[in-house]
Amino acid sequence: MKLAYSMAAILVGAVLALGDHAGIAQSAVVPACDRPSPEDTAKAFEWADRAAVTSDARRQGDQRMLWYRAPARVWEEALPVGNGRLGAMVFGGVADECLQLNEDTLWAGSPKDASNPDALAALPEVRRLLFAGQNAEATELAGKTMMGRPTRIQSYQSLGELNIEAPGAAGASAYVRALDLDTAIASVNYVAGGVTFTREMFTSAPAGVIVARFTASTPGALDLKLAFKRAKDARSEAVPGNAKAIRMTGQVNADRGTDLGMRFAAVLLAVNDGGTVSNDGGRLSVSRANAVTFIVAASTNYPGLGRGGPSASTDPATRAADAATRASARSYDSLEAEHVTDYQRFFRRVVFRLGLPPDIAGALPTNERLARFKSGRPDPGLAALYFNFGRYLLISSSRPGAMPANLQGLWAWKQANPWNADFHTNINLQMNYWPAEPAALSELHLPLFDLMDSLVAPGSMTAKTQYNARGWVVHHLTDAWGFSACADGVQGIWPMGAAWLARHPWEHYLFTGDRAFLRDRAWPLMKGAAQFVLDFLVEAPAGTPVAGRLVTNPSHSPENAFFLADGKTQSRFTYAATMDLEIIEDLLKNTVEASSVLGIEPEFRAECARARARLAPVRVSPATGRIMEWVEDYKEVEPNHRHTSHLYALHPASQIDPIMSPALADAARKTLEARGDGGTGWSLAWKINMWARLLDGNHAGLLLTNLLADKTLPNLFDTHPPFQIDGNFGATAAIAEMLLQSHARQDDVWILHLLPARPDAWPDGSVAGLRGRGGFEVSEQWLGGKLTEARVRASASGPVFVKLGAKMVRFELKAGQTLVLDGSLQSKK
Ligand code: FUC
């Protein structure tokens, strides 16, 4: 068996020349996610059943259920529901239920070209100063000339709250609040005064509304009062002509009277079984009902990504009322059935369980389970729950046609949120989408591509104005309005956002084999991002460590700082930060390959290849044996800094790999060891992916333990702190990466690496439906630390390598065929 992959990178002394990887000709592959795989799903349910504890534990504490014995006291204990566009955080209060509401287009601000026209004239001098080691002078000049106008963006906003009073519910017992990840339904159950009360809440994507059903075991026992609330800019009122409806309407920044922003509306409509419903201005009262279904709809006059400012012709109140009225004409059962079917077509593609009975922890409420885990008691099922929750969150916050998942996904309770709940492009937005392909949620990647499409026009303007470059650029963050300039502080002069984002449509192609997508959507985005970097790269002058090679200037290693050679002066600003070179290497390699696959634009392909051959190399420090983060072996101001940017080549890219480039992988390991095992939630999540790529399951498992124990809120949201959803998504991708890897090829044939980084703490488990590059669907079962069965389903005919430990076997598969393997990689059929 050959251990070296054909695309091996070459290590020359301590210098990496990132190798020339032959282009592959992918045959037409049917998008994997469109195909249900009943056979594999059924198999996984069978495995799951064997591993289930008791029916009671499955119902309550299973790896697909979050549940609690008390209402949420704070937002971070509430449970999220969402349909990509509309979201709610369900608090579950007995006498005071609260649904905190979000609509994913509700942003403050408006579109403006923030490109700084002074930047271009200053650029040569900024570059000269940085090459000359005058970092402070360069920082000062760039700070004055290159920052966006304005420098700051405005925030994604909470829509408000729906408050529900339930008088007479005091003294409740048998309280259970839950979120069922298999149905995407949040529920509240309790007994008060001998009556059993139940609530079920979900956000339907097909109906476009939030649905809440309140029932009681005794007829006429429901007495409720409902009202919308928002801190400012809104008013609540009765809906004209409908006694069973109220609404809240408003406009962002209405209290300022200037810089008026988006208009928004939320409508609540009640459908009661028995009793009466009335409204008193903005308050809805339900009296003596047997059951009642509430429909909440919301809308804004956001015109869509890249379509300019708020639309004057859209009336959000009418739109919301129409959606609510349509849904209210349907029975609760039909809305629920439609919602569950819609949701499960995504969720049930992957079934993942860890552990065998008796799973004591699985029967505990989620907060108690988390506390038990924090105290050091093992609970592998918690990792499976976290993975399942991560998939739930992506299905709930990123649907085709909606906005992409932001820093908080969809759920944000303030009008000015931490980091504006924006789209940060120096790690966070990309991390949100890491699970999309491997965790079989490929279509949910599409909102990211919509955002990228919408950034091409403003990003091209910024590229031209600030750098006189072709293509499109995005710096370290963006918003709903196409912001592409430099934000916040000088760390915002980081023109690599588009170049990093461009690997996402390429990955979408690699997983799905969708050539039409590659040609029509991925290629223009990749080409534009590549054009920008080609024009931005400059030759490092004589006297620099990489003289004669192409480098970026100015440059940052997000958002880290170093000491200059004097050991005292701090700087962040530099040239040729390693991450830039790795991003560009990856982008140019992928662009060359994409143009070969499509058979188009040979001149541009050659231009990319020429630049790629001249790129400054990634280097290993002779002093520390680590991957150098900057062009010189600077000492870090904060050695445990949260960003591990200079290991981009290890993950998300794959130029560093323990098999194809062992020396570099060793340097990456030393780098990770020096960074330490702590960090913000997302930082831990990134490092778990990296340890998985280093095939070190136990170290990956250790960091996952740290994430669950230290950076996980009671509702399983990841915390930076505060709450930031990237860690949820990053760790979900990392768990997939621990179970299956597919980034490597040998002789242009994909390698499916089974259980590449399984920690010892996960001796038993099963996963069905993970996806591998090349259009494969993979299921695995293992017991006592040994693979017992694997199934590989191909979406196109052709060869594949399957690897387990040191063994690798080549198989020829036909489209639609499922290969069933035993624990020695022998075909069972
Ligand atoms: C990046 C990180 C911060 C934070 C912010 C939203 O810039 O460096 O830690 O996560 O994004």
Side-chain angles (χ1 to χ4, degrees), residues 407 419 424 426 428 559 642-643 682 720 724:
L407 281 173
W419 288 284
H424 254 63
N426 65 3
N428 321 82
E559 302 178 11
R642 60 195 181 281
H643 287 262
W682 65 256
H720 184 288
Q724 215 168 271

Side-chain angles (χ1 to χ4, degrees), residues 136-326:
E137 292 83 349
T139 306
E140 195 188 336
L141 177 61
K144 282 187 193 146
T145 54
M146 298 184 78
M147 297 310 302
R149 296 181 177 174
T151 298
R152 298 205 179 266
I153 60 164
Q154 295 192 47
S155 187
Y156 171 64
Q157 295 199 339
S158 168
L159 177 63
E161 292 171 9
L162 176 64
N163 294 315
I164 308 171
E165 289 171 40
S173 61
Y175 180 94
V176 175
R177 171 171 68 97
L179 176 63
D180 183 347
L181 303 181
D182 193 42
T183 58
I185 296 178
S187 59
V188 176
N189 289 274
Y190 59 90
V191 178
V195 181
T196 301
F197 291 90
T198 64
R199 300 175 200 158
E200 286 191 341
M201 284 147 289
F202 60 86
T203 309
S204 164
V209 293
I210 298 168
V211 181
R213 170 87 170 160
F214 284 54
T215 62
S217 60
T218 303
L222 283 173
D223 287 301
L224 305 163
K225 293 197 188 317
L226 300 94
F228 286 113
K229 187 171 125 191
R230 183 178 150 97
K232 57 181 190 173
D233 303 335
R235 66 193 195 120
S236 295
E237 61 197 353
V239 172
N242 189 340
K244 297 188 179 185
I246 54 171
R247 71 182 182 193
M248 174 177 70
T249 55
Q251 185 163 23
V252 171
N253 288 347
D255 66 331
R256 290 200 214 162
T258 57
D259 194 20
L260 282 179
M262 217 185 281
R263 284 185 293 123
F264 55 85
V267 170
L268 168 72
L269 211 150
V271 182
N272 56 313
D273 167 9
T276 58
V277 178
S278 59
N279 71 43
D280 159 20
R283 214 155 102 115
L284 199 75
S285 298
V286 177
S287 304
R288 293 186 300 284
N290 311 323
V292 56
T293 302
F294 297 108
I295 310 283
V296 181
S299 191
T300 72
N301 67 342
Y302 182 67
L305 280 163
R307 301 223 178 94
S311 153
S313 59
T314 302
D315 177 18
T318 308
R319 287 223 304 219
D322 288 351
T325 306
R326 267 196 309 276

Side-chain angles (χ1 to χ4, degrees), residues 426 494 500 556-560 579-580 629 641 643-645:
N426 65 3
W494 183 80
W500 184 342
H556 282 95
S557 190
E559 302 178 11
N560 208 356
M579 181 188 228
D580 291 356
E629 184 163 358
H641 195 269
H643 287 262
T644 37
S645 308

Side-chain angles (χ1 to χ4, degrees), residues 347-369:
F347 187 74
R348 287 199 163 181
R349 285 177 191 163
V350 175
V351 183
F352 177 37
R353 281 199 67 88
L354 281 174
L356 283 174
D359 181 2
I360 298 154
L364 290 174
T366 308
N367 54 330
E368 290 175 30
R369 186 175 185 176

Side-chain angles (χ1 to χ4, degrees), residues 386-398:
Y386 196 84
F387 174 87
N388 291 333
F389 185 56
R391 293 187 70 249
Y392 168 84
L393 291 174
L394 198 66
I395 302 168
S396 305
S397 65
S398 184

Side-chain angles (χ1 to χ4, degrees), residues 522-771:
W523 174 255
L525 291 168
M526 294 170 76
K527 182 182 175 190
Q531 281 175 314
F532 175 78
V533 300
L534 290 171
D535 289 356
F536 182 67
L537 285 167
V538 288
E539 188 177 299
T544 60
V546 287
R549 307 299 287 265
L550 292 179
V551 294
T552 51
N553 184 349
S555 170
H556 282 95
S557 190
E559 302 178 11
N560 208 356
F562 52 85
F563 291 107
L564 289 175
D566 65 8
K568 289 192 303 249
T569 315
Q570 289 187 22
S571 182
R572 294 176 175 193
F573 215 34
T574 182
Y575 66 95
T578 299
M579 181 188 228
D580 291 356
L581 305 171
E582 293 175 332
I583 291 175
I584 293 171
E585 155 65 23
D586 186 55
L587 171 63
L588 296 180
K589 171 175 75 68
N590 297 340
T591 307
V592 164
E593 190 173 327
S595 105
S596 301
V597 170
L598 293 170
I600 57 169
E601 307 211 29
E603 299 81 19
F604 187 67
R605 187 191 317 155
E607 189 185 348
C608 292
R610 277 196 303 274
R612 188 178 167 215
R614 292 189 59 206
L615 264 187
V618 173
R619 295 178 305 149
V620 175
S621 157
T624 63
R626 299 178 207 146
I627 304 282
M628 280 169 55
E629 184 163 358
W630 295 280
V631 70
E632 310 229 15
D633 207 1
Y634 295 125
K635 204 162 155 272
E636 292 149 319
V637 173
E638 199 188 319
N640 303 125
H641 195 269
R642 60 195 181 281
H643 287 262
T644 37
S645 308
H646 46 321
L647 299 189
Y648 181 96
L650 174 64
H651 184 278
S654 54
Q655 302 115 344
I656 298 179
D657 177 280
I659 295 166
M660 70 181 183
S661 53
L664 277 171
D666 190 49
R669 167 183 288 273
K670 292 195 178 101
T671 311
L672 278 177
E673 282 166 356
R675 272 299 208 254
D677 296 335
T680 62
W682 65 256
S683 170
L684 285 166
W686 196 358
K687 287 183 282 207
I688 303 168
N689 282 282
M690 289 176 166
W691 282 111
R693 284 280 173 95
L694 290 175
L695 308 178
D696 190 334
N698 284 337
H699 215 127
L702 171 72
L703 267 70
L704 182 60
T705 298
N706 294 349
L707 177 73
L708 290 168
D710 303 333
K711 302 292 173 188
T712 301
L713 296 163
N715 60 4
L716 297 192
F717 270 167
D718 162 67
T719 185
H720 184 288
F723 163 52
Q724 215 168 271
I725 207 161
D726 40 19
N728 287 101
F729 291 135
T732 300
I735 291 168
E737 203 69 36
M738 291 160 80
L739 300 170
L740 174 71
Q741 290 179 22
S742 68
H743 57 275
R745 280 172 275 182
Q746 179 161 295
D747 306 331
D748 288 348
V749 174
W750 290 105
I751 300 170
L752 298 173
H753 194 164
L754 306 181
L755 300 178
R758 180 191 57 78
D760 293 339
W762 298 355
D764 308 300
S766 64
V767 64
L770 290 179
R771 304 299 151 115

